[in-house]
Amino acid sequence: MERVTQYENSLTVQVMTSKGIAKRKSKLTQREKWYGFLFISPMVIGYVLFLLGPIIAALTMSFTNWSLIKEREFIGFANYKRAFFEDPVFWDTVWNSFYFTIVFVPLNIIVTLGLALLLKEKIRGINFFRTAIFTPVVTSVVVWAVVWKYIFQTDNGLINSILKLFGITGPAWLYDLSLAMPVIIFVTLLKGLGINMVIFLAALNEVPQMYYEAAQIDGASRWKVFRNVTLPLITPSVFLVVIITMIGSLKVFGQIYVLTGGGPGTSTYVFVYYIYSLAFKEYEFGYASAIAYIMFIIILILTMIQWNVRRKWVHHEQ
Amino acid sequence: MKKIMSTALLVSLTMALIVGCSGAKTSVTQQPDSGGKKEAQAAKKDVTVKLTIWGNENYKKQVEDAAKDFNVKYPNIKVDVMLIPITDYPQKLSIMIASKTAPDLAWMNYRIAPQFIEANQLADVAADLKKDPEYNFADQSQAGFVPLTRGDKIYGAPFLNMPKVLFFNKTLFKEKGLKNPLELYKEGNWTYEEFLKAAKAISDPSKGIYGANLVTANGWKAWPDTLIDTIWAYGGDFISADGKKLVMNTPEGEKALQLFSDMMFKDQIHPKPGDQTTFESGKIGMNRHNYGYVDVIRKNVTNFEWDVAPMPKGPVKDAPVADGLAGYSILQDSKHKEEALLFLKYMTGNEGMKKMASLFVPNRMSVLESGALTDGFNAPSKEGIKAAVIGPLSPGGSKTAPSHNNWQQIDVKTQTILDMLYTKSASVKDVLNKMETEINPLLK
């Protein structure tokens, strides 16, 4: 970095001393500018074509009643009105999504931070445990969910078979209104532990040893060290994890599609599942787009709130 | 300023893109039919007819084999078969139509055909079929055309007419010393009482053995497959004949649903919701399936004997048997209508139907009576086929499960309401009341 600045400085000096060079330089930057555009163009074209285009298309779609093979009509805000005032399933969906998020995010952070603290220690065989916990992250969510579907089966599932050995008749895990969502939270938690754990591990290793030593000399207990030294110093990572985990959990879909298909009843209908069901099962593309936009706005608002309150609890930000 | 300009440009470009797409969309349904004029050239040009089917690899292979024989007859026409899982079939086909990559020819069933007919996506073949003496239109079971017919227009030709049957595990019945369903049927005593009695005798929940399973291979979400002919047998129905009203909330409908609920939760003779125990595992006494499942059973069952029987009789003795109808339909926008029609005629004609008889119950009387269904196989028995498959195909013996233009929404809604029953969170009566309030608005 320093060297570059020096180079630029010397360049400016040259520019100031000679007009000819100055001209050449501006020509150079002009050309470089086009090279720059050329280099980023694949990304920009891809973004416009496959992301920005569909995003705007979805917005226009949300004001129509389009259903694939039929003609479409512009119907103004009717889809949005329908969601808020006429569709009880939409409110089920909102509640379920928040239920999932409110339980999942804190649980995930507590467990992953706990694991990171455990696995930070340099003891023999620690890499094995780190790998074991990280492995599910690289597995496909569908494969993961299918395996768990077998484990949670009512009659011949692994869990109920084990319970049977002890003479207990296990519940219908995935066919119970109050159990289905906790099961999905559990399965999702196990799958995603690794990634947040790694982020926390990295953050914990960044905490300078001297603070610990100072705390030790002052005679702080382990809890106090954690509470007053470790935690404040890793708050930027906690913040990052909170944001990405929250957005991720509002977008949960794959495991629900495989494990419960939104059921039983509407007890595991979440945003993305409802959007999928409306668009691809009921062909209500217009209404599905409206829900997608409502979801987008909710996520945006939640993220902005977090962003604004972070000053109150995130320390040590660079 | 520059920023605003470039953003505006971007937005307008994207808008143009979207509007461009929608413009193309409107022309899909309005494109004039140009099939007829090409007739003369059809014989010469090399043409590939795209066909979409559902099912499994074996279905695909059989259709491809038939297409090869067809290719010998018409060397210039090749058929390209695309396999789509049944659960994705209507969506995928709709998307293919919307994106102008539709096939020339597609399998249609009674459930999905109404939407595509309604949206003017299928071509009328009435004249082509009726005027061709070689095709022998009268030999086709006419009931098979009902879901594909609107007025005097016919939007396809059926190739299968498959009643739901009861597969039973002969070995389990023998072990318990019970008369099996086919024997009881022959005695004229095959009723729901006997069905429940047998199921109770066979069930042993501690070993995971269940006497009966009404859920077909299409799974727990495919509730019409599971329930409809039990509902009919008890004198009920799902929606009225004109499709405008839910008629499930009646004492008859309640009895049928209560029976199903009791089998699962009270008597424990039926697998619990979500359970995936298959007939092939040998742990199910009697399993309702589409007859088409015979292919899977033939391939996978080696350690017990089995056969087919009709579903038992309920209080309404002459209640129809639920059947699944499927046919070949030509897409309205196809550029190779003539060639597609030739393949349609081949597959729904005598030769094609015979070729597929190991998988499907053909819709042609002459083929049905030829023994093509049983020749060369150990099971099911000839009498089983006669009682469970050919019998119901006589006029009035079978009926298709309900369908509606709005079927997707009705289906999704009914699934979620039935889940209340499956999770024991509502009584049968509550479930029916809920159906009435939530489904009726969708039937407009």
Side-chain angles (χ1 to χ4, degrees), chain A residues 174-244:
Chain A
L174 296 168
Y175 257 93
D176 188 302
L177 290 178
S178 52
L179 280 176
M181 192 57 109
V183 167
I184 286 176
I185 291 176
F186 174 75
V187 171
T188 315
L189 184 71
L190 283 192
K191 168 135 181 28
L193 285 179
I195 198 86
N196 287 352
M197 183 192 76
V198 165
I199 295 174
F200 282 137
L201 265 177
L204 288 172
N205 286 329
E206 286 280 295
V207 177
Q209 201 57 35
M210 58 181 184
Y211 294 134
Y212 290 126
E213 281 160 14
Q216 233 165 20
I217 291 164
D218 286 346
S221 67
R222 285 186 76 156
W223 167 249
K224 280 217 158 139
V225 172
F226 173 73
R227 178 72 193 76
N228 297 318
V229 178
T230 316
L231 206 53
L233 286 171
I234 61 164
T235 40
S237 299
V238 176
F239 176 66
L240 173 78
V241 167
V242 167
I243 294 243
I244 58 173

Side-chain angles (χ1 to χ4, degrees), chain A residues 25-97:
Chain A
K25 194 226 164 193
S26 81
K27 226 181 194 173
L28 192 76
T29 48
Q30 200 67 21
R31 218 159 94 209
E32 274 180 344
K33 198 171 91 188
W34 285 112
Y35 275 128
F37 282 131
L38 194 70
F39 283 132
I40 62 164
S41 63
M43 198 278 168
V44 171
I45 291 170
Y47 176 79
V48 170
L49 225 56
F50 298 113
L51 210 68
L52 199 63
I55 286 172
I56 297 169
L59 182 65
T60 49
M61 248 153 79
S62 76
F63 296 108
T64 68
N65 62 355
W66 190 33
S67 81
L68 268 193
I69 51 175
K70 289 184 196 146
E71 289 304 316
R72 73 175 99 169
E73 241 177 274
F74 182 79
I75 54 166
F77 281 93
N79 283 329
Y80 292 90
K81 222 177 94 194
R82 177 174 160 197
F84 285 113
F85 301 108
E86 291 154 27
D87 184 5
V89 179
F90 170 73
W91 289 108
D92 287 349
T93 306
V94 173
W95 160 246
N96 291 334
S97 297

Side-chain angles (χ1 to χ4, degrees), chain B residues 309-322:
Chain B
M311 282 298 287
K313 290 274 174 240
V316 177
K317 297 275 176 262
D318 57 350
V321 172

Side-chain angles (χ1 to χ4, degrees), chain B residues 281-294:
Chain B
S281 70
K283 290 182 167 182
I284 303 283
M286 299 171 273
N287 206 153
R288 203 167 114 76
H289 270 301
N290 294 313
Y291 177 74
Y293 199 64
V294 72

